[in-house]
Amino acid sequence: MNLEELNATATSERLARAKKRHHIHVCVGTACQALNSEQIAKALQAELKQRGQSHDAEVKCVGCPGLCSLGPLVEVESRVNGQATTDAPEEDRRKSVLYQFVKPEDAAEIIAHLDGEPVKRLETPLDQPFFTRQTKIVLENCGKIDPERIEDYIAAGGYQALMKALTEMTPQQVVDEITRSGLRGRGGAGFPTGLKWGTVAKADPNAYPTNVPEGIQSRKFVICNGDEGDPGAFMDRSLMEGDPHRILEGMAIAAYAVGANHGFIYVRAEYPLAVKRLRTAIRQAQRAGLLGNGIGGTAFSFNVDIRLGAGAFVCGEETALMASIEGGRGVPRPRPPFPAECGLWGCPTLINNVETLANVPPIIMKGADWFASIGTEKSKGTKVFALTGQVVNTGLIEVPMGITLREIVFDIGGGIPGGRQFKGVQTGGPSGGCIPAQFLDMPVDYESLAKVGSIMGSGGMIVMDDTTDMVEVARFFMEFCMDESCGKCIPCRAGTVQMHRILTKIQEGKATQRDIQILEELCDMVKHTSLCGLGQSAPNPVISTLRYFRDEYEKKINGHHKSKPNGLSD
Amino acid sequence: MTNPLPPLGRAAGNGAATAKPDDRLVSDKRYKIIEATMRRYGYQGHGLIEALHSAQEAFGYLDDFTLMHIARTLHLPPSKVFGVATFYNLFTLKPQGAHTCVVCLGTACYIKGAREVLAAIEAEYDVKAGGTTRDNQLSLLTARCFGSCALAPVLTFDGETIGKVTPEAAAQQIAQRMMAIRQAA
Ligand SMILES: Cc1cc2nc3c(=O)[nH]c(=O)nc-3n(C[C@H](O)[C@H](O)[C@H](O)COP(=O)(O)O)c2cc1C
Ligand code: FES
């Protein structure tokens, strides 16, 4: 497909769409699918057919619109009046109704009310803060398009950015645009994306000995990190399930910018639906000539393969991930050399998180200045969070950087259920920390989170109420790191075991003040001497709970040498 | 490994009673699936994990024979194949029960009481996490997050996700499904 064909497809798709007065979107993300949403889609379709309304309305299976706690969700978008047109303002003349907790039995009622008043019993307002306080860039298509149809993505403006990059920009200009946008990695550390791209673009493929397998024609690689190891986070899963083509487009643009012809998406095997949708997307893109050789009639070639993880958290770490793609045990190695210079099979490799790459097409289309106008001075754009735990609205949210925690938890999240008190929010998973109530008005950006001893992480945000035992939370994460330590370096392998033992001892009421001291020493040692990020960050949950909830530790100590209130032990 | 296999093409030791390894490769069609996966990667070492995924999907677990077969076909030392198979949590070298229940112990589920759910199932079926019931009907496993955290606590039964489970109802929900399958059979 070249640009003209792409535009033609988009136009005809939009025309076909405009012919129908009602568009019924049924969420078939993992959470809603688990609640039988595919049955609902079938029931709605059958009902339309029976009433002879199929010409007027269509049922579409879409990705996650975000509010998983009210699922299964069905959204009905109707044209209010006027002629079918293809220009954008058409959207303005549409009204939407969102139905919650839908069951297949509700299909008849929903269809019967298409032209009249919405079904009040099932309706949930679309003007609630959960929706109005969000800014959707990365998730703009999730819940709107059918992830298994490339035409849907194209109709929504998909692959235009890739065409623009290939036909109007040099690779260097693409790198510059990303650099100017201020985009930073969404995989945890927040490394400036443009800087990374520039390094890979400049890297010499012959600088290190390489052993690329037969059949792979590339001397540089692009990897999309879809391992999403943080337990309690599902941003990347929803993106891969809800808008897979966006990730492929982001990867292709990245590949063009750095000079790679082959890419890998590394997905954890726990996400079978994401794998399936990505496979479908790759096949469709290849058939449409948007992946493969001579993309869009240009000389640029790019192929993508999927690799499955096999249940190892450490494989989210970039060097371990590459070892896993090479078919080996996923153990990290010391850096430098960084993957940008010596990565997969010894070749310069760009590795980015799913959400990072999903930000790329809109930046190319709308420009770096537009992107840089959103967010804070050092953290640009939006961030997707998986809001879970003791909060009324659980689900997926996308908010501009710099929003406060209070807005997230109390406005968007709807506060704490059951009349309980807010105690803290955990970000960054096993590598992050717990943020107490005193910081609720802090802006959420990379620097602020780091200042209070947590990290942005990949976007897991777990809200805890006053029933949560913080020592238990620390013990939980330590157990996780202990299990997931790959065993290569001793501080992490042995240190996590020791720390877990002490935390268990505290929980059993058998510890003394001395144990807390040892725990703190171990935290310091493991943090500073481990080989990779897993060990270096494993103590974070302990350090942050000791910092803000020390009294909970003290209460469990059976000795009498309580530490002073300022947090220092005597 | 207690019983290493002889190199390809030679009879398996003591007499005609033991089948030749090649026989099993021919008679059991599932090896074709693994073969197709290995072929896709040009029988090169980087296809190892994908081959193991295929094998586990086909057989439910990885036995010595299959691991040795993969090692030989990909020209890898058995130590490498065993090293990889035992490194990743998802691969299992033990046969599984007829049904599998996986309880999520990820953070979101943990905060919402997944541990109690697990304990209830363990008590009801008299099996510890990681084990299989004595009648080989149910394997009970744990996982770290299915990405369905909004439905926490979550478990899966034979791949089907069940959300918002309670310790009281979990065992019953499993029993119902096992019953339904038995009746259908
Ligand atoms: C233990 C560990 C686990 C990680 N897990 C993930 C992960 O699940 N997903 C991810 O994108 N990055 C993960 N990372 C970060 C990656 O190593 C890498 O920095 C990231 O993929 C780079 O992409 P970005 O620049 O787009 O953020 C992990 C790092 C460590 C140390
Ligand atoms: S923590 Fe259980 S599904 Fe994510």
Side-chain angles (χ1 to χ4, degrees):
Chain A
M1 234 183 237
N2 58 28
L3 188 57
E4 269 163 38
E5 289 160 331
L6 194 69
N7 287 334
T9 307
T11 311
S12 72
E13 227 1 82
R14 280 183 211 142
L15 262 176
R17 192 182 142 79
K19 286 210 183 90
K20 312 253 177 184
R21 225 147 30 94
H22 305 286
H23 296 271
I24 306 172
H25 296 167
V26 182
C27 171
V28 289
T30 294
C32 283
Q33 205 177 55
L35 300 169
N36 246 336
S37 62
E38 278 178 343
Q39 285 321 71
I40 299 170
K42 284 203 189 104
L44 287 166
Q45 234 139 16
E47 190 64 29
L48 276 182
K49 209 172 202 172
Q50 205 190 346
R51 292 171 158 263
Q53 272 183 286
S54 299
H55 64 280
D56 202 27
E58 68 169 358
V59 177
K60 196 177 277 221
C61 292
V62 299
C64 177
L67 195 45
C68 309
S69 52
L70 301 185
L73 293 170
V74 173
E75 186 175 0
V76 180
E77 212 184 272
S78 309
R79 196 169 60 236
V80 181
N81 49 31
Q83 287 292 297
T85 60
T86 55
D87 12 305
E90 192 228 352
E91 300 291 330
D92 301 340
R93 277 180 270 116
R94 291 185 165 276
K95 72 172 174 40
S96 288
V97 182
L98 186 66
Y99 293 126
Q100 61 182 357
F101 303 126
V102 180
K103 293 190 208 56
E105 303 88 271
D106 300 326
E109 202 175 342
I110 292 177
I111 302 294
H113 282 76
L114 274 184
D115 288 305
E117 280 294 298
V119 186
K120 281 278 169 285
R121 174 174 73 81
L122 298 170
E123 191 182 1
T124 182
L126 271 164
D127 57 2
Q128 56 186 305
F130 182 87
F131 296 107
T132 56
R133 300 300 281 273
Q134 297 195 46
T135 305
K136 298 211 172 184
I137 297 175
V138 172
L139 295 178
E140 61 184 350
N141 288 340
C142 278
K144 302 274 174 225
I145 67 167
D146 180 345
E148 302 195 2
R149 286 189 76 232
I150 191 171
E151 295 85 359
D152 265 39
Y153 182 65
I154 292 175
Y159 288 108
Q160 293 281 351
L162 176 61
M163 285 301 170
K164 180 174 172 188
L166 292 181
T167 55
E168 296 171 25
M169 297 166 88
T170 64
Q172 184 59 43
Q173 281 172 327
V174 176
V175 173
D176 290 343
E177 196 71 19
I178 298 297
T179 308
R180 277 203 311 121
S181 75
L183 176 65
R184 293 169 67 174
R186 303 295 195 235
F191 191 83
T193 306
L195 191 59
K196 204 190 257 185
W197 287 26
T199 314
V200 181
K202 282 193 215 92
D204 173 9
N206 299 316
Y208 291 86
T210 61
N211 56 336
V212 181
E214 279 167 39
I216 296 181
Q217 312 293 342
S218 185
R219 292 298 169 263
K220 284 186 185 179
F221 294 97
V222 171
I223 297 175
C224 170
N225 187 344
D227 196 45
E228 194 154 59
D230 173 2
F234 50 93
M235 305 74 49
D236 297 347
R237 191 213 61 177
S238 291
L239 259 172
M240 293 185 282
E241 282 176 12
D243 201 3
H245 283 285
R246 170 185 292 263
I247 297 157
L248 299 182
E249 186 177 4
M251 285 179 80
I253 295 170
Y256 174 70
V258 303
N261 300 111
H262 204 102
F264 291 93
I265 310 180
Y266 189 88
V267 193
R268 56 204 300 254
E270 288 88 338
Y271 290 176
L273 192 59
V275 173
K276 177 174 157 248
R277 299 231 168 110
L278 282 167
R279 286 218 166 105
T280 307
I282 292 175
R283 221 176 313 116
Q284 292 171 342
Q286 279 169 341
R287 208 172 302 142
L290 296 164
L291 279 183
N293 294 336
I295 294 177
T298 68
F300 175 63
S301 301
F302 182 59
N303 287 297
V304 177
D305 270 334
I306 293 182
R307 286 302 166 92
L308 294 190
F313 173 65
V314 72
C315 284
E317 198 277 338
E318 50 194 28
T319 59
L321 188 151
M322 293 185 302
S324 185
I325 292 181
E326 289 173 12
R329 293 164 70 103
V331 285
R333 61 159 175 80
R335 298 170 305 177
F338 285 92
E341 286 166 334
C342 173
L344 198 57
W345 294 300
C347 301
T349 302
L350 173 70
I351 173 160
N352 272 136
N353 167 262
V354 170
E355 192 185 329
T356 314
L357 290 165
N359 269 302
V360 168
I363 293 177
I364 297 298
M365 275 324 279
K366 301 187 190 167
D369 297 327
W370 161 79
F371 190 80
S373 70
I374 304 163
T376 67
E377 197 198 330
K378 286 187 176 158
S379 306
K380 301 297 186 193
T382 58
K383 178 78 194 84
V384 183
F385 289 102
L387 192 62
T388 57
Q390 318 286 15
V391 59
V392 174
N393 298 330
T394 55
L396 203 66
I397 59 166
E398 182 172 0
V399 289
M401 296 272 192
I403 191 173
T404 65
L405 274 176
R406 188 184 298 281
E407 286 172 275
I408 294 183
V409 176
F410 289 94
D411 295 347
I412 297 175
I416 316 297
R420 295 252 157 221
Q421 287 292 310
F422 172 86
K423 184 167 189 176
V425 37
Q426 212 280 343
T427 66
S431 317
C434 295
I435 306 170
Q438 73 209 70
F439 296 118
L440 267 174
D441 291 308
M442 181 191 81
V444 175
D445 59 46
Y446 291 100
E447 277 72 26
S448 306
L449 285 169
K451 218 179 332 165
V452 299
S454 190
I455 58 166
M456 177 76 78
S458 54
M461 196 174 262
I462 293 156
V463 181
M464 303 179 198
D465 68 13
D466 51 3
T467 59
T468 314
D469 175 348
M470 295 318 247
V471 183
E472 182 57 28
V473 170
R475 202 189 66 85
F476 167 79
F477 282 119
M478 193 52 71
E479 185 181 333
F480 180 88
C481 292
M482 176 180 79
D483 287 349
E484 294 297 336
S485 172
C486 76
K488 182 165 174 172
C489 76
I490 296 165
C492 174
R493 181 178 68 213
T496 51
V497 175
Q498 291 306 328
M499 288 192 282
H500 181 257
R501 200 173 284 168
I502 296 177
L503 287 164
T504 307
K505 207 165 145 192
I506 297 175
Q507 278 304 60
E508 290 169 348
K510 293 184 192 150
T512 63
Q513 198 58 244
R514 174 82 187 121
D515 286 305
I516 295 199
Q517 229 174 4
I518 298 175
L519 184 62
E520 289 184 308
E521 283 167 21
L522 278 168
C523 281
D524 188 63
M525 188 270 291
V526 173
K527 191 179 171 84
H528 291 104
T529 56
S530 292
L531 168 64
C532 85
L534 197 161
Q536 288 160 11
S537 62
N540 285 352
V542 180
I543 296 172
S544 82
T545 47
L546 268 173
R547 185 161 152 194
Y548 300 120
F549 304 97
R550 198 178 183 96
D551 55 317
E552 294 193 27
Y553 283 82
E554 303 278 344
K555 268 187 231 138
K556 301 185 187 224
I557 299 289
N558 55 9
H560 299 292
H561 299 284
K562 297 271 176 210
S563 68
K564 294 180 192 135
N566 62 5
L568 300 167
S569 52
D570 51 23
Chain B
M1 263 252 314
T2 48
N3 189 13
L5 287 156
L8 195 66
R10 229 186 294 154
N14 42 3
T18 336
K20 288 182 201 166
D22 314 59
D23 290 350
R24 202 170 137 192
L25 294 179
V26 175
S27 63
D28 194 331
K29 296 275 178 285
R30 288 175 289 187
Y31 283 102
K32 286 232 170 78
I33 305 171
I34 307 173
E35 179 72 18
T37 304
M38 293 191 285
R39 191 180 328 118
R40 196 161 63 238
Y41 294 96
Y43 301 103
Q44 298 179 83
H46 70 106
L48 173 58
I49 294 175
E50 298 293 322
L52 294 175
H53 271 300
S54 286
Q56 175 142 324
E57 208 166 291
F59 294 102
Y61 75 109
L62 304 167
D63 66 3
D64 289 356
F65 178 85
T66 307
L67 288 171
M68 286 301 285
H69 169 63
I70 292 175
R72 267 188 308 241
T73 317
L74 298 181
H75 307 289
L76 292 170
S79 61
K80 162 114 188 184
V81 175
F82 278 76
V84 169
T86 52
F87 179 84
Y88 294 97
N89 294 328
L90 224 71
F91 297 132
T92 166
L93 307 194
K94 283 186 294 190
Q96 298 295 299
H99 304 287
T100 311
C101 171
V102 190
V103 179
C104 174
L105 291 183
T107 321
C109 291
Y110 196 81
I111 296 278
K112 291 241 178 154
R115 215 172 27 155
E116 288 76 35
V117 172
L118 180 66
I121 301 172
E122 284 181 332
E124 179 68 26
Y125 285 91
D126 188 23
V127 59
K128 282 264 161 264
T132 301
T133 52
R134 234 166 288 141
D135 61 1
N136 273 329
Q137 281 302 304
L138 185 72
S139 287
L140 182 62
L141 305 174
T142 60
R144 307 281 193 188
C145 194
F146 302 115
S148 308
C149 324
L151 302 179
V154 176
L155 57 84
T156 67
F157 178 78
D158 287 351
E160 174 199 354
T161 307
I162 309 174
K164 296 184 184 164
V165 287
T166 60
E168 296 76 38
Q172 205 191 342
Q173 283 169 309
I174 295 169
Q176 271 169 3
R177 283 172 172 77
M178 285 176 45
M179 186 80 87
I181 292 168
R182 217 168 299 150
Q183 275 165 357

